[in-house]
Amino acid sequence: MKKPDKKFLTLLIIGLFLNVKVYSQITLTKSKAEDQNEWELYLKGFLQTDFTVNFQDMKSVEGFAAQSIEIPQRNIASSNFSVKQSQIGLGIKQKNPKGDDNFSAYVEIDLYGPNKTTAPRFRQGYIKWKNWIAGQTWSNFSDPEVFPNIFDFIGPDGLLFNRRMQVRYSQKISPKENLSFSLEDPNTPDISLPIDSLNWKKRAIIPTFTALYRYGDEKDYIKAGAIISPMSYDMKYEIDSPYKTKTMIGWGGMISGKRTINNTNNFRFQTSYGKGFATNNSDLNGEKYDAVPNIYNKNMLETLSLFNFVGMYEHWWNEQWCSVIFASYSSVGKKDYILKDMSKNFQNIGLNVVFQPFKKLRMGVEGNYGKVRNFENKKAEAW
């Protein structure tokens, strides 16, 4: 690996002062109805500016995704300045005299426009009524709470971290226990179809089902989740034959949690395993790793197994300075028929220094290193 030249060392130093995130929430109006229910209209979001320097060729430029490192390795340096991670949301909520939220609605955008442009993109939009949520928000088979205090928008590569269209029901079963179930977008599974097939087509028929159990409070908790993901496709072997619909079942399990130490420092983790659920991984979303054709069995699709593990530790040096260190590992199950250029395993580690002079302002510098190996046993690394 070539040493970075003075130009990129200068850019890196500049980047120390440009990784900035500023939060805000503004109440636009409040009113109280005759039934004593209180309505609030609010605006919230944050402005984030990121300056990044990559010293190897990667498909991902807005965040570090180890799976996107180009093989064979090319030590090509590049830089990128972005405000796409910035978000703005508009919400309305109703509170009864007891302080409980009976009804709320929320819509949110970021700036990840089409074709890599900086333009508004729909991010979340849902309606909540008592124990029900309908719309697009974080999948029930993920854990937004476990995301560490880092700047990289993708996060540790082994996390399950995606938004889905869904209908979800949640029920508090004790002061520390919560149980939730969801039916999510049937078009979520991402499969590979044979290139030489007779126009085989993916079908969206049966919704994905998830269940999640949470035990704990805000500082310390553990979650256990499960997913059942039906995948369907139309196939045929002769031009004049009618299509037949085949359905496979993907499944997976997840455990995640957070443990607070000395009231400030904390350890977080997430691990998951299953078959046909890879699109829920933040790196493999959209990469068609849920199921692939078996050339030894008439190109019938078969699900791939996936294992993920992420460990994260957050340490506060004082009230304004903190650091996060994390390590992540993901591995795709081996099959003889998998394409050789598909990723066999990928991993990354990261470390940062964060300065937070005010509650809603943070800035700092972050380093990320990762490796990827494909099924041809070729590998590459990047930082």
Side-chain angles (χ1 to χ4, degrees):
M1 184 171 63
K2 296 180 180 179
K3 293 183 179 179
D5 58 25
K6 292 182 179 180
K7 175 183 176 182
F8 280 97
L9 284 177
T10 303
L11 292 173
L12 184 60
I13 293 171
I14 294 173
L16 302 185
F17 303 98
L18 291 180
N19 290 316
V20 180
K21 191 170 184 177
V22 183
Y23 302 83
S24 182
Q25 178 166 328
I26 303 170
T27 298
L28 299 177
T29 184
K30 277 187 177 181
S31 64
K32 186 170 287 188
E34 294 181 359
D35 57 5
Q36 297 302 306
N37 286 329
E38 184 179 79
W39 290 86
E40 179 183 358
L41 180 67
Y42 63 92
L43 191 69
K44 77 172 187 177
F46 60 82
L47 171 66
Q48 178 167 336
T49 62
D50 278 2
F51 181 83
T52 60
V53 179
N54 294 323
F55 293 97
Q56 281 76 34
D57 196 15
M58 303 177 66
K59 296 175 186 176
S60 172
V61 296
E62 305 296 344
F64 192 96
Q67 193 270 338
S68 77
I69 302 172
E70 294 284 4
I71 299 177
Q73 178 153 348
R74 297 194 300 166
N75 296 328
I76 300 175
S78 63
S79 63
N80 183 63
F81 178 80
S82 176
V83 295
K84 293 182 179 180
Q85 299 86 347
S86 303
Q87 299 170 16
I88 185 169
L90 179 67
I92 185 172
K93 59 184 177 181
Q94 177 201 57
K95 288 186 177 180
N96 61 27
K98 296 181 180 179
D100 300 326
D101 292 342
N102 285 339
F103 172 85
S104 63
Y106 183 71
V107 63
E108 179 182 270
I109 62 170
D110 59 21
L111 299 178
Y112 279 89
N115 301 318
K116 299 184 178 181
T117 60
T118 302
R121 177 190 71 161
F122 175 69
R123 181 177 171 86
Q124 294 191 77
Y126 58 85
I127 294 174
K128 181 180 179 182
W129 180 71
K130 294 186 177 180
N131 296 341
W132 293 89
I133 288 181
Q136 178 166 301
T137 186
W138 296 107
S139 169
N140 195 43
F141 191 64
S142 65
D143 184 7
E145 295 180 83
V146 86
F147 200 88
N149 188 23
I150 63 175
F151 295 101
D152 188 271
F153 207 58
I154 295 177
D157 296 324
L159 285 181
L160 306 181
F161 206 65
N162 286 284
R163 296 176 300 278
R164 300 284 184 244
M165 290 296 297
Q166 61 187 278
V167 175
R168 184 193 305 177
Y169 177 80
S170 302
Q171 179 64 54
K172 197 171 186 66
I173 54 181
S174 80
K176 286 191 173 184
E177 293 177 287
N178 191 78
L179 190 61
S180 57
F181 303 94
S182 72
L183 291 176
E184 301 185 0
D185 187 359
N187 202 36
T188 292
D190 206 19
I191 60 178
S192 297
L193 293 170
I195 297 175
D196 58 350
S197 65
L198 296 175
N199 199 25
W200 291 15
K201 300 175 183 178
K202 177 185 172 183
R203 297 268 288 176
I205 302 176
I206 307 172
T208 295
F209 172 79
T210 77
L212 183 70
Y213 169 80
R214 185 189 191 279
Y215 177 85
D217 51 30
E218 185 177 348
K219 288 187 175 181
D220 300 283
Y221 72 86
I222 189 165
K223 291 182 179 180
I227 186 171
I228 298 176
S229 182
M231 293 168 272
S232 301
Y233 62 100
D234 291 340
M235 51 83 66
K236 64 179 179 180
Y237 294 111
E238 297 178 0
I239 296 178
D240 297 330
S241 299
Y243 282 105
K244 294 182 179 179
T245 301
K246 298 290 184 180
T247 299
M248 307 162 289
I249 300 295
W251 58 271
M254 173 198 74
I255 299 176
S256 63
K258 174 183 173 183
R259 174 65 176 173
T260 301
I261 305 167
N262 299 330
N263 292 323
T264 53
N265 309 320
N266 62 77
F267 171 75
R268 311 175 190 211
F269 78 96
Q270 185 183 83
T271 185
S272 55
Y273 176 78
K275 287 187 175 184
F277 79 109
T279 194
N280 292 275
N281 173 278
S282 58
D283 261 26
L284 297 178
N285 182 32
E287 297 292 328
K288 303 183 185 298
Y289 275 73
D290 284 347
V292 297
N294 183 350
I295 60 174
Y296 304 113
N297 185 27
K298 299 182 179 180
N299 275 336
M300 298 293 289
L301 270 58
E302 296 187 17
T303 57
L304 295 181
S305 63
L306 175 67
F307 169 76
N308 301 295
F309 180 80
V310 182
M312 301 155 280
Y313 181 71
E314 179 179 315
H315 175 74
W316 284 85
W317 304 98
N318 54 44
E319 291 183 354
Q320 295 182 330
W321 291 87
C322 84
S323 293
V324 174
I325 184 170
F326 68 82
S328 172
Y329 176 80
S330 298
S331 177
V332 179
K334 178 174 171 46
K335 297 289 184 181
D336 293 337
Y337 48 83
I338 294 179
L339 296 177
K340 299 302 181 183
D341 62 350
M342 293 183 71
S343 298
K344 181 179 181 180
N345 56 63
F346 51 93
Q347 55 242 272
N348 74 317
I349 59 174
L351 174 66
N352 69 13
V353 177
V354 180
F355 175 52
Q356 193 161 338
F358 307 105
K359 182 179 180 181
K360 296 184 178 182
L361 171 66
R362 66 185 178 110
M363 60 190 74
V365 60
E366 190 165 274
N368 229 315
Y369 169 81
K371 296 193 299 183
V372 62
R373 181 191 298 269
N374 64 20
F375 279 94
E376 200 175 358
N377 277 325
K378 293 181 178 180
K379 59 183 181 179
E381 59 184 4
W383 65 282

